[in-house]
Amino acid sequence: MPQPPVDRSTDGLRLMHVHAHPDDESSKGAASTAMYVAEGVDVHVVTCTGGERGSVLNAKMDRPEVWENISEIRREEMHRARDILGIRQDWLGFVDSGWPEGDPKPPLPEGCFALVPLEESTERLVRLIREFRPHVMTTYDERGGYPHPDHIRCHEVSVAAYHAAGDPERFPDAGEPWQPMKLYYHHGWSWEKTNALHQAMVDHGLESPYAERLEKWEREPEWDDRITTKVPCGDFFGVRDQALLAHATQIDPDGMWFAIPREIQQRVWPTEDYELVESTVQSTLPEDDLFAGIATPAP
């Protein structure tokens, strides 16, 4: 039986996710986000870019009028997902760098997020951290989760801002210093998770969407071993799916995101997984809670 949500509303806990594009907040950690919101945690998503150069990945939305208004549409999609998840959300205000294609790859567009000086983008994020005062932050690993220039830059900016936000000598005009207590990286698709879901589909006589990917996967056990924290949030996979569907230009309702029945996902891998990389508090690893070790939030 699902357990009733913990009431954290009186604790004043605050969680900040830093993402590169609109839709990333729904494809990475959305179920744990929804769970924490239900428990009374104040959750704030920072979206570094507007996703202006993203592809339209849903064939039903691949229409001239969509392309002509892609910036506005992606902003509206983000606002719908924000409301579904019950979060606050701010735009960091930078322009999508796009996905460079070709061999050799072309230079990135002038003025895009990945080319903005790190100090400039870090200051903007520090300002939001000091305003929101999160106890926990999440972002991407040093590979960006995947090697999109904006994801890698998001990692760099997030780590720099995590360390700068509590330093009164850094960006003194960006608000009163505030040091978040913990910093996590998302680990959305480990080999173990992908293989477990694949095997469950095979065992049920269903076609797995991961067969070809697993055949080509060059395993890195030490990478999967970096996971420290598995947050049980299977009861909120439905909210995650609704938030994903809000990003209609990016998410095909008939595509791979929904190829695994939710019941199989909830039984086989009912967690979202993270790596604890920085902490000012003591907690015992492995964890099942991003707020482990934070007994009494700072005022």
Side-chain angles (χ1 to χ4, degrees), residues 197-215:
L197 292 170
H198 164 78
Q199 192 58 53
M201 291 290 281
V202 172
D203 292 346
H204 281 79
L206 301 171
E207 183 178 357
S208 168
Y210 304 131
E212 184 177 351
R213 180 188 296 187
L214 286 165
E215 286 178 7

Side-chain angles (χ1 to χ4, degrees), residues 1-144:
M1 291 291 292
Q3 297 297 311
V6 176
D7 182 7
R8 303 183 192 253
S9 58
T10 59
D11 293 339
L13 292 170
R14 296 179 295 277
L15 171 62
M16 175 180 278
H17 300 302
V18 187
H19 287 291
H21 308 109
D23 77 78
D24 289 326
E25 84 298 324
S26 298
S27 60
K28 302 165 189 66
S32 46
T33 290
M35 182 197 74
Y36 282 121
V37 168
E39 292 179 354
V41 175
D42 194 356
V43 182
H44 187 172
V45 164
V46 178
T47 311
C48 294
T49 79
E52 302 88 349
R53 292 191 171 98
S55 302
V56 174
L57 302 177
N58 178 359
K60 302 176 187 67
M61 295 291 289
D62 192 1
R63 307 190 303 268
E65 65 271 22
V66 171
W67 283 105
E68 290 167 6
N69 298 284
I70 192 68
S71 296
E72 294 79 5
I73 289 171
R74 295 213 67 189
R75 183 172 288 266
E76 291 169 3
E77 290 173 344
M78 179 69 247
H79 290 167
R80 285 197 292 272
R82 174 196 67 194
D83 292 344
I84 290 167
L85 292 171
I87 59 174
R88 302 196 220 181
Q89 187 261 342
D90 276 296
W91 305 91
L92 206 58
F94 295 105
V95 177
D96 191 339
S97 303
W99 176 256
E101 295 186 88
D103 187 13
K105 294 184 184 297
L108 294 175
E110 184 177 351
C112 70
F113 176 52
L115 296 182
V116 170
L118 185 59
E119 283 288 291
E120 180 181 339
S121 45
T122 298
E123 180 174 11
R124 289 198 198 180
L125 182 54
V126 165
R127 191 176 296 277
L128 289 175
I129 292 170
R130 290 176 177 174
E131 177 183 332
F132 180 63
R133 296 156 65 90
H135 301 98
V136 174
M137 285 179 59
T138 76
T139 190
Y140 313 140
D141 59 63
E142 64 273 18
R143 299 178 180 178

